[in-house]
């Protein structure tokens, strides 16, 4: 079994996920680069290795049971356990997303990736995480999932998005349920908001860099054993539900 800290980041071939992998790798960790696309995954792994990161590719489609099971087997073969899981893979879904006209298939696709994908990956990886002395799970959410912020007059939460925003609210709720079930274990699980980062997820319209967006995930991935669980954070502190 490896003595290095072992992390798996889903959707790590680009954007915030790539920067999370790079940041954790800079700590000397061994990082699994989870991604569906073989070519992009390979390019990301090569780039990380060139930067000195001990990275390895993990073929992973979070919407596919067989793919997730195979990914867990690969991590077990490579490392024997998992210390940190960062559920970063996500989609916004096609536009428009006005609730009165949105295609139900758009909502279903967002939930399938952003929520069910997280549940699927987390549950398959939990046996490996339980082998860790200090297991951490970070779910990449968004402030648009905050019902408090969405209903606070004058607060900017972006355009109406009947698929994407509610999927992040759902993810936040699921994170709380995991924390409640795992409260008497050493597993810490939290949700993270990276801020409005310029990535291809939003057509590079964001005002923060992917590296800036990765910082909160790295902080939550490295929480001490007495750290919080079942909470929602951004760079400034706790985000209201």
């Amino acid at each position: 079994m490896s003595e290095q800290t072992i992390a798996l980041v889903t959707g790590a071939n680009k954007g915030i996920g790539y920067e999370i992998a790079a940041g954790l790798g800079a700590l000397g960790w061994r990082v699994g680069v989870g991604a569906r696309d073989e070519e992009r995954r390979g390019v990301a792994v090569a780039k990380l290795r060139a930067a000195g990161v001990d990275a390895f590719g993990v073929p992973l489609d979070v919407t596919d049971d067989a793919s997730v099971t195979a990914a867990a087997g690969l991590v077990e073969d490579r490392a024997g356990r998992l210390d940190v899981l960062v559920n970063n893979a996500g989609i916004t879904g096609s536009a428009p997303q006005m609730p009165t006209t949105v295609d139900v298939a758009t909502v279903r696709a967002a939930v399938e990736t952003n929520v069910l994908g997280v549940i699927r990956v987390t549950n398959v990886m939990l046996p490996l995480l339980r082998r860790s002395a200090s297991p951490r799970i970070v779910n990449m959410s968004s402030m648009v999932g905050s019902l408090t912020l969405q209903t606070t007059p004058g607060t900017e939460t972006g355009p109406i998005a009947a698929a994407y925003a509610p999927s992040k609210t759902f993810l936040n709720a699921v994170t709380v349920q995991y924390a409640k079930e795992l409260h008497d274990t050493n597993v810490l699980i939290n949700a993270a908001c990276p801020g409005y980062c310029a990535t291809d997820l939003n057509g590079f319209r964001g005002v923060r860099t992917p590296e800036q967006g990765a910082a909160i995930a790295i902080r939550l991935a490295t929480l001490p054993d007495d750290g919080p669980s079942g909470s929602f954070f951004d760079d400034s502190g706790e985000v209201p539900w």
Side-chain angles (χ1 to χ4, degrees):
M1 183 177 291
S2 173
E3 295 301 318
Q4 286 177 288
T5 300
I6 310 299
L8 172 65
V9 184
T10 69
N13 61 292
K14 59 184 178 179
I16 295 170
Y18 176 85
E19 294 299 340
I20 294 170
L24 296 177
L27 300 176
W29 294 15
R30 192 175 191 195
V31 184
V33 177
R36 291 180 299 176
D37 187 281
E38 181 178 0
E39 182 177 356
R40 290 179 178 176
R41 184 177 63 248
V43 169
V45 170
K47 185 178 177 182
L48 288 166
R49 287 177 177 170
V53 175
D54 186 357
F56 62 98
V58 181
L60 179 58
D61 178 350
V62 303
T63 68
D64 182 81
D65 290 340
S67 175
V68 174
T69 299
L74 189 154
V75 172
E76 182 169 25
D77 289 344
R78 291 290 187 92
R81 72 171 192 283
L82 186 62
D83 299 294
V84 171
L85 170 63
V86 182
N87 287 306
N88 168 76
I91 63 171
T92 57
S94 58
Q97 291 189 11
M98 300 299 287
T100 57
T101 57
V102 68
D103 188 331
V104 170
T106 297
V107 180
R108 184 179 294 115
V111 171
E112 180 64 49
T113 296
N114 299 348
V115 183
L116 303 185
V118 170
I119 295 172
R120 183 178 290 111
V121 173
T122 299
N123 289 352
V124 171
M125 297 296 170
L126 260 175
L128 295 175
L129 286 161
R130 291 182 186 277
R131 298 177 188 175
S132 172
S134 300
R136 305 288 180 262
I137 302 171
V138 182
N139 293 335
M140 295 304 289
S141 184
S142 170
M143 58 90 74
V144 304
S146 167
L147 295 177
T148 299
L149 297 179
Q150 286 279 3
T151 55
T152 299
T155 301
E156 176 55 52
T157 54
I160 296 173
Y164 179 68
S167 77
K168 293 302 186 179
T169 306
F170 193 172
L171 175 60
N172 290 347
V174 165
T175 301
V176 171
Q177 297 305 307
Y178 272 108
K180 291 174 69 174
E181 180 180 354
L182 298 171
H183 77 280
D184 59 350
T185 74
N186 60 352
V187 180
L188 301 183
I189 178 169
N190 293 284
C193 172
Y196 190 32
C197 299
T199 68
D200 63 357
L201 195 73
N202 55 40
F204 298 95
R205 294 188 299 270
V207 297
R208 287 164 57 85
T209 66
E211 185 175 7
Q212 288 174 318
I216 183 60
I218 294 168
R219 182 161 73 85
L220 294 176
T222 56
L223 285 173
D225 290 342
D226 61 352
S229 190
S231 294
F232 185 18
F233 295 94
D234 65 9
D235 286 347
S236 300
E238 284 202 55
V239 180
W241 298 115

